[in-house]
Every structure is written in structure tokens, then in C-alpha cells.
């Protein structure tokens, strides 16, 4: 009975498509739901919103902080490049100066803020010179917290929190100075610190390796946990990748925004009487490893740790302070 009402032209599902495709067309996967499409939705949303990255550079004058930032982003992003003066005097106290740029690459927009700290380490007495920097970092956390606890808060809170602090170590070749140890010991608790040996081309390869090993030993001896922090590794794969990075810290870097022609190739480098030091050549320096860490492989992780670890610790502490100031009896519950 049922066979009599079937049309003669009906194609079995195994031969034709689900929506009338011709026989021999693509086979439809009936088990496909489409959950993986969320990745494309997230990508489109992120492309529309853009990204924010706030990098602080700390180190005494003359270590090439501005040059390295220009080299990292291959554009004039440093404060000195934009607000150049005929002759910049060393400030008597530490100043915090930031400048923001909108950068776009292959349709991806990013608001980059570079925070400079002129005056750090340049005084005869550098006691407590880390305090203005610590205050600035906490002020950004406080500004974000106040926006977050507003009743009518913004749809997207502007993020001025410092995601990463690049600390420039002078290329002495011996050991860390007490100033270096004290700064990193205190600041590593509130921000992601990435230490670098500035102007590493002034050291021989043997001196560089010895200096790097000595610095790692001093960091461990003083309980200084620089980025990537071991305790925040998410899984075995992360641990394996981050261990390789931790073995290279501090990065011995050379910065340059000058282009030169070498063997028919245009590249960034520093020209000397003996040849050209290629900034992005890992045989010459470790700039490429630093760039990959900050931009190509760990940028989102750096921001996540800032938000979920450093800012969260500040937020909990501040809310606990407020709770101790305002006793429970003072809370008005008449609205319930």
C-alpha cells in the first residue's frame, strides 16, 4: 500500500542530496551541527572591536628603550619619536608618560599604548624610585575597578591596565644591580615583567651567556617570578613551550630602526666597521624571540594574566578594604 503512493522519480537519500542536489554532488554530513562556526563568529567580532595592548618600558637613559619599541612595531611608536625635543633633560623625579597609536595590519586593528618612565635609575640616590611606577600601575587598576562597579557601566570598559613591563638591564656583563633586583622583586607581584639585556651587541657571546645565566640565578635566589610565570602554566603543552622561553630569559636584544642592504636583502640592523648586526637574525641577537613572545605567540596570554591574576588580586584587596571600612550593620536593606 505504501509503495503504491511513492512517486517513480524519487531519489534515494544515499544517491541524491538532502535539499534536492543532483546525484553525484557533495555528500551531506548528517552528523554535522556547526559548533565550530563559533570560531569564525569570534574572529569577526574581534576584528570589529580591535585589540588593546599597553606596554611599559623601564630602564635608565641611554639603553635604547625608544629604539626597541620602534623596532618591535616597525613604526615610530615611542614617545621620543613622536614628541622629540631638541635636547631632553634628565628629569629630577620619575615621570610617567604614555602615548597611544592605532595600528592596523591585514585588517586587524590594535590600540597600542607605550608607557615610558624617564628619570628611572638616573639619579644619584635611586632609593624608592620604583614607587611612582607602582602607583601608576595600581592607579590603572583602580580606574578599571571604578568603571567596573558603576551601576550604569560602559558596554566596553577602556583598558588602560599595564599588560607588560619590559625591564632594561644595562649590559655590564657581571650581575644585577641592587636597583634591578629591588624593582623586579616588587613589581613582579603586580605586573608581567619581561627582562631584557639592552644593547647586547656590546657583549661577546661568551660574556652574554655568562651574564644571562648569572641573572637567572639571581632571579631565582630573590624569588622574582618574571613572565611567563611557572605557576600560571595551564597544561603540559604550555609548560613545555614556556620552559624553553624561561631558559632564554633575559633576552639579549639589539634594536635598530635603520634599514641596510645586505646580500641583496633589506633588513633592520646596526652597521659597524666589522659588518652589520642583523636585528632579526637569531644568530646575532634574541630580538626575534622577544617579538614573538610579546606579539605573535603570547600577547593574549599576557593580557589574560593581567586581567585574571594581577588585576583580580588588586580587586579582591580593594573590595576587602571597603568591607572592613563599611560594617554590615550600616547596609540599608529596606529596599528588599
Amino acid at each position: 500500500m505504501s509503495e503504491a503512493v511513492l512517486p517513480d522519480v524519487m531519489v534515494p537519500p544515499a544517491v541524491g542530496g538532502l535539499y534536492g542536489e543532483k546525484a553525484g554532488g557533495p555528500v551531506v554530513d548528517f552528523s554535522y551541527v556547526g559548533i565550530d562556526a563559533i570560531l569564525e563568529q569570534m574572529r569577526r567580532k574581534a576584528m570589529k572591536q580591535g585589540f588593546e595592548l599597553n606596554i611599559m618600558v623601564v630602564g635608565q637613559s641611554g639603553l635604547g628603550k625608544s629604539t626597541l619599541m620602534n623596532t618591535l612595531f616597525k613604526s615610530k611608536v615611542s614617545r621620543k619619536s613622536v614628541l622629540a625635543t631638541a635636547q631632553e633633560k634628565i628629569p629630577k623625579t620619575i615621570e610617567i608618560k604614555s602615548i597611544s597609536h592605532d595600528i592596523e595590519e591585514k585588517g586587524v586593528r590594535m590600540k597600542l599604548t607605550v608607557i615610558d618612565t624617564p628619570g628611572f635609575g638616573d639619579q644619584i640616590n635611586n632609593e624608592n624610585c620604583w614607587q611612582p611606577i607602582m602607583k601608576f600601575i595600581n592607579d590603572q587598576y583602580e580606574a578599571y575597578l571604578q568603571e567596573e562597579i558603576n551601576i550604569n557601566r560602559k558596554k566596553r570598559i577602556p583598558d588602560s591596565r599595564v599588560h607588560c613591563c619590559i625591564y632594561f638591564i644595562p649590559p655590564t656583563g657581571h650581575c644585577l644591580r641592587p636597583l634591578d633586583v629591588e624593582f623586579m622583586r616588587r613589581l613582579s607581584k603586580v605586573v608581567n615583567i619581561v627582562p631584557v639585556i639592552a644593547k647586547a651587541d656590546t657583549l661577546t657571546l661568551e660574556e652574554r651567556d655568562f651574564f644571562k645565566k648569572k641573572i637567572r640565578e639571581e632571579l631565582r635566589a630573590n624569588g622574582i617570578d618574571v613572565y611567563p610565570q611557572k605557576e600560571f602554566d595551564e597544561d603540559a603543552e604550555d609548560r613545555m613551550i614556556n620552559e624553553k622561553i624561561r631558559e632564554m630569559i633575559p633576552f639579549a636584544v639589539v634594536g635598530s630602526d635603520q634599514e641596510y642592504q645586505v646580500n641583496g636583502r633589506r633588513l633592520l640592523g646596526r652597521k659597524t666597521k666589522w659588518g652589520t648586526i642583523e636585528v632579526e637574525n637569531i644568530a646575532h641577537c634574541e630580538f626575534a624571540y622577544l617579538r614573538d613572545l610579546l606579539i605573535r605567540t603570547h600577547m593574549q596570554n599576557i593580557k589574560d594574566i593581567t586581567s585574571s591574576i594581577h588585576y583580580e588580586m588588586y580587586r579582591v584587596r580593594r573590595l576587602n578594604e571597603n568591607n572592613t571600612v563599611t560594617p554590615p550593620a550600616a547596609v540599608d536593606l529596606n529596599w528588599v
Side-chain angles (χ1 to χ4, degrees):
M1 186 76 175
S2 59
E3 291 180 2
V5 298
L6 288 173
D8 296 336
V9 295
M10 185 172 182
V11 181
V15 179
L18 182 62
Y19 300 110
E21 294 94 332
K22 293 181 181 179
V27 178
V28 176
D29 182 3
F30 288 96
S31 65
Y32 178 71
V33 176
I35 297 172
D36 60 340
I38 187 66
L39 297 175
E40 178 59 23
Q41 296 171 40
M42 292 169 66
R43 189 191 70 84
R44 286 202 304 268
K45 184 177 180 181
M47 293 278 280
K48 285 180 182 177
Q49 289 183 342
F51 301 89
E52 294 168 319
L53 181 64
N54 307 319
I55 297 181
M56 174 180 277
V57 289
V58 179
Q60 66 188 61
S61 302
L63 291 180
K65 300 187 296 293
S66 298
T67 303
L68 185 71
M69 293 308 299
N70 293 343
T71 311
L72 269 174
F73 294 96
K74 296 188 176 179
S75 54
K76 303 289 186 181
V77 297
S78 69
R79 177 185 59 85
K80 283 187 177 180
S81 300
V82 179
L83 305 173
T85 55
Q87 185 177 3
E88 186 174 32
K89 295 181 180 178
I90 295 175
K92 293 182 179 179
T93 57
I94 295 174
E95 301 174 0
I96 312 291
K97 297 183 178 181
S98 63
I99 187 162
S100 298
H101 305 267
D102 290 319
I103 300 175
E104 185 168 342
E105 183 180 55
K106 295 183 178 179
V108 179
R109 292 180 294 107
M110 183 175 75
K111 181 185 177 184
L112 171 69
T113 301
V114 179
I115 304 138
D116 198 358
T117 55
F120 176 84
D122 293 329
Q123 313 304 323
I124 295 174
N125 181 6
N126 290 302
E127 186 178 3
N128 296 333
C129 65
W130 49 268
Q131 287 182 345
I133 298 172
M134 174 80 86
K135 182 180 183 303
F136 177 86
I137 292 171
N138 284 332
D139 284 349
Q140 308 318 303
Y141 290 151
E142 182 66 25
Y144 195 91
L145 176 62
Q146 293 305 317
E147 288 284 354
E148 205 173 43
I149 63 178
N150 278 342
I151 296 175
N152 298 315
R153 62 182 181 182
K154 297 174 182 175
K155 186 178 179 181
R156 190 180 182 196
I157 300 174
D159 191 0
S160 63
R161 297 171 296 183
V162 179
H163 299 127
C164 177
C165 172
I166 305 177
Y167 186 74
F168 288 70
I169 301 169
T172 62
H174 301 297
C175 60
L176 291 174
R177 302 168 301 170
L179 172 62
D180 302 325
V181 173
E182 187 68 9
F183 177 88
M184 288 192 281
R185 187 176 67 82
R186 293 180 180 273
L187 271 292
S188 62
K189 297 172 183 175
V190 298
V191 70
N192 298 312
I193 290 185
V194 177
V196 300
I197 300 173
K199 297 190 173 182
D201 53 326
T202 61
L203 300 171
T204 66
L205 294 178
E206 292 77 13
E207 289 171 339
R208 190 179 80 179
D209 291 341
F210 172 81
F211 194 28
K212 282 163 63 74
K213 182 180 178 182
K214 185 70 174 174
I215 290 172
R216 285 195 295 270
E217 289 173 355
E218 291 190 68
L219 292 176
R220 282 193 294 268
N222 289 280
I224 299 170
D225 206 6
V226 298
Y227 184 84
Q229 300 92 333
K230 188 177 291 187
E231 61 180 306
F232 303 145
D233 292 342
E234 293 182 0
D235 50 39
E237 184 183 0
D238 269 4
R239 195 174 303 113
M240 184 177 66
I241 294 170
N242 290 341
E243 275 301 331
K244 293 179 180 177
I245 296 170
R246 285 189 278 264
E247 289 170 5
M248 285 191 287
I249 282 178
F251 298 104
V253 298
V254 177
S256 174
D257 47 16
Q258 298 294 316
E259 286 191 357
Y260 295 98
Q261 191 90 14
V262 178
N263 298 326
R265 297 180 298 119
R266 292 197 66 79
L267 48 83
L268 293 172
R270 286 170 56 86
K271 200 165 188 178
T272 69
K273 190 163 61 175
W274 303 276
T276 303
I277 301 164
E278 300 174 23
V279 168
E280 299 189 60
N281 187 337
I282 58 175
H284 292 191
C285 75
E286 295 171 338
F287 167 82
Y289 294 126
L290 174 68
R291 178 203 56 207
D292 289 352
L293 176 74
L294 294 178
I295 302 172
R296 300 185 180 181
T297 62
H298 284 64
M299 182 195 290
Q300 188 58 48
N301 183 255
I302 287 171
K303 296 179 64 175
D304 288 344
I305 288 180
T306 299
S307 179
S308 62
I309 305 295
H310 296 306
Y311 169 68
E312 191 65 18
M313 289 175 63
Y314 178 86
R315 187 185 71 86
V316 169
R317 179 167 59 82
R318 285 286 288 113
L319 293 179
N320 282 335
E321 288 174 2
N322 291 343
N323 288 339
T324 56
V325 171
T326 307
V331 179
D332 184 7
L333 299 178
N334 293 330
W335 60 272
V336 178

